[in-house]
Amino acid sequence: MIRISAGSAACMGLTTNKMDAYPTTAYFLSGNSCRMGCSFCPQGSGNNVILDRLGRVNWPEFAWESVKEGLHRAEKNGTRRICLQSVRHDIGIEPLLKLVKRFKEISDLPLSLSAWIKDQDEATALFKAGADRISVSIDVVDPDLYRTYKGGSLEERLDLLLGCAKELPGKMSTHIICGLGESEKEAFGLIDRLVKAGITIALFAFVPLKGTPLERGSPPPVESYRRVQAGYFLLEEALAEYESFKFDERGRLISFGIPKSRLRKHLYPGTAFQTSGCPDCNRPFYNERPGGIIYNYHRPLSKKERAAGLELLFKSLQE
Ligand code: SF4
């Protein structure tokens, strides 16, 4: 059996659920109940574990035998990548290696793996088994909050991620959650470091989830999230430099340090507000309810959405 996100399962023809949008990546989840105790995650040990939830998405179980045909159907529906997410279980990477190989035997789609690895050797072995990209999730950018919400040391995890990126250039990704109490200045300091190391970043907006210690928290203000999305886009595309960014005394971004006319031109297409991460990863409604505020657009924005996003962003900048 393997868990498949509800949207992916529908796209694979495994359910008849009506979805608002199909994902362009097929998302799989391996393992039950994680050894990590992340305060924001329904899979975290010690939390009120909900095995079929990760983020705000449901992950029903399906027989492995249904996956091959399902992936072929999903390809016809526009799926261009597989993402295998694994909880941390500390029984070595053998089960993960087997799973990656199993996927590669039944599908030619590139495979991203998001898993807890202990060192570079494990990353190398997983790439050898067929992974196209590996994500080492940072999630929390403030070192103290990292210790509180995830446990352990942010710098140690970063050392591993940056070390892997040096040895395996262009192959590493990470996840960052905005709205956990970090300042925008801290977020951009880390984003800049990661971009310079060639690491692809999947930005998430914090979602308070029932059964987790942070269930009473709040998602980030959307204008703050738009600033982080825009800043990451500008840094990633080398259209601005972190050294030119300006912040107020609370660490809130007030200027990207480039003329507004140029900024408008760069951001006009709306790409900055679309889901970021591995190629073809669009994660529909991971952060938002259909019909609610959209933090990560899983598709190109309409003219009206682009205008609204830009207006909100520009209104929140001082220069
Ligand atoms: S960015 Fe998307 S495809 Fe890549 S590891 Fe994260 S969820 Fe998976």
Side-chain angles (χ1 to χ4, degrees):
M1 301 292 279
I2 186 139
R3 292 192 182 279
I4 305 176
S5 78
S8 302
C11 185
M12 291 166 71
L14 302 178
T15 66
T16 51
N17 294 343
K18 277 253 168 287
M19 305 310 291
D20 287 273
Y22 276 157
T24 45
T25 287
Y27 300 97
F28 294 85
L29 174 62
S30 156
N32 282 327
S33 185
C34 186
R35 278 261 293 101
M36 301 284 285
C38 300
S39 305
F40 44 83
C41 180
Q43 294 281 333
S45 69
N47 298 349
N48 198 355
V49 174
I50 307 167
L51 292 179
D52 69 348
R53 286 292 293 274
L54 183 66
R56 57 168 302 282
V57 172
N58 285 330
W59 301 74
E61 272 191 315
F62 293 89
W64 177 259
E65 291 66 37
S66 60
V67 172
K68 185 175 175 180
E69 277 312 305
L71 279 172
H72 288 156
R73 280 193 292 268
E75 272 192 75
K76 287 185 192 133
N77 285 330
T79 291
R80 294 189 285 279
R81 174 169 293 270
I82 293 167
C83 173
L84 172 59
Q85 316 210 13
S86 173
V87 300
R88 179 177 173 186
H89 37 47
D90 284 351
I91 49 171
I93 56 158
E94 276 310 313
L96 217 42
L97 287 171
K98 274 195 197 145
L99 203 49
V100 171
K101 286 181 190 156
R102 215 167 167 189
F103 271 108
K104 294 314 290 179
E105 278 163 18
I106 59 165
S107 174
D108 291 330
L109 289 170
L111 182 144
S112 290
L113 178 68
S114 178
W116 194 92
I117 53 166
K118 78 172 185 317
D119 54 30
Q120 269 184 44
D121 289 347
E122 289 195 344
T124 306
L126 287 160
F127 280 125
K128 237 186 190 162
D132 172 60
R133 303 188 62 88
I134 295 180
S135 169
V136 172
S137 279
I138 291 298
D139 297 326
V140 187
V141 306
D142 174 280
D144 294 331
L145 293 172
Y146 185 96
R147 207 167 297 112
T148 307
Y149 292 154
K150 279 181 74 88
S153 153
L154 170 62
E155 271 311 315
E156 269 175 32
R157 241 26 227 154
L158 270 178
D159 280 352
L160 172 64
L161 176 58
L162 294 166
C164 287
K166 203 168 171 192
E167 291 304 311
L168 306 153
K171 301 295 254 177
M172 300 303 295
S173 304
T174 192
H175 294 176
I176 284 182
I177 304 172
C178 299
L180 285 169
E182 75 290 342
S183 70
E184 289 168 27
K185 192 174 183 184
E186 274 181 311
F188 280 123
L190 183 61
I191 288 170
D192 184 54
R193 248 175 111 185
L194 296 170
V195 166
K196 284 179 175 145
I199 295 162
T200 301
I201 303 170
L203 290 176
F204 290 80
F206 167 63
V207 182
L209 294 168
K210 214 165 175 263
T212 66
L214 291 175
E215 66 179 3
R216 290 181 197 284
S218 308
V222 70
E223 60 271 24
S224 171
Y225 195 68
R226 293 283 177 257
R227 288 192 289 273
V228 177
Q229 285 178 304
Y232 170 46
F233 175 80
L234 294 170
L235 294 173
E236 176 70 16
E237 298 295 317
L239 297 167
E241 289 182 354
Y242 171 65
E243 292 69 21
S244 310
F245 287 13
K246 290 184 193 149
F247 301 90
D248 68 11
E249 65 289 346
R250 288 177 297 136
R252 191 180 72 104
L253 184 119
I254 54 172
S255 167
F256 291 108
I258 54 175
K260 276 196 173 165
S261 55
R262 192 137 48 96
L263 190 58
R264 192 172 285 280
K265 199 172 136 224
H266 293 327
L267 299 179
Y268 181 74
T271 321
F273 306 137
Q274 285 184 238
T275 306
S276 63
C278 300
D280 299 314
C281 172
N282 67 341
R283 306 190 297 276
F285 307 113
Y286 261 53
N287 275 181
E288 51 272 310
R289 239 179 265 115
I293 294 173
I294 298 187
Y295 284 88
N296 291 324
Y297 284 90
H298 58 274
R299 49 156 177 79
L301 282 71
S302 68
K303 211 172 162 189
K304 203 171 149 196
E305 289 164 342
R306 281 197 319 246
L310 286 179
E311 198 193 331
L312 194 64
L313 177 74
F314 277 88
K315 254 181 25 199
S316 78
L317 298 175
Q318 287 178 18
E319 289 175 29

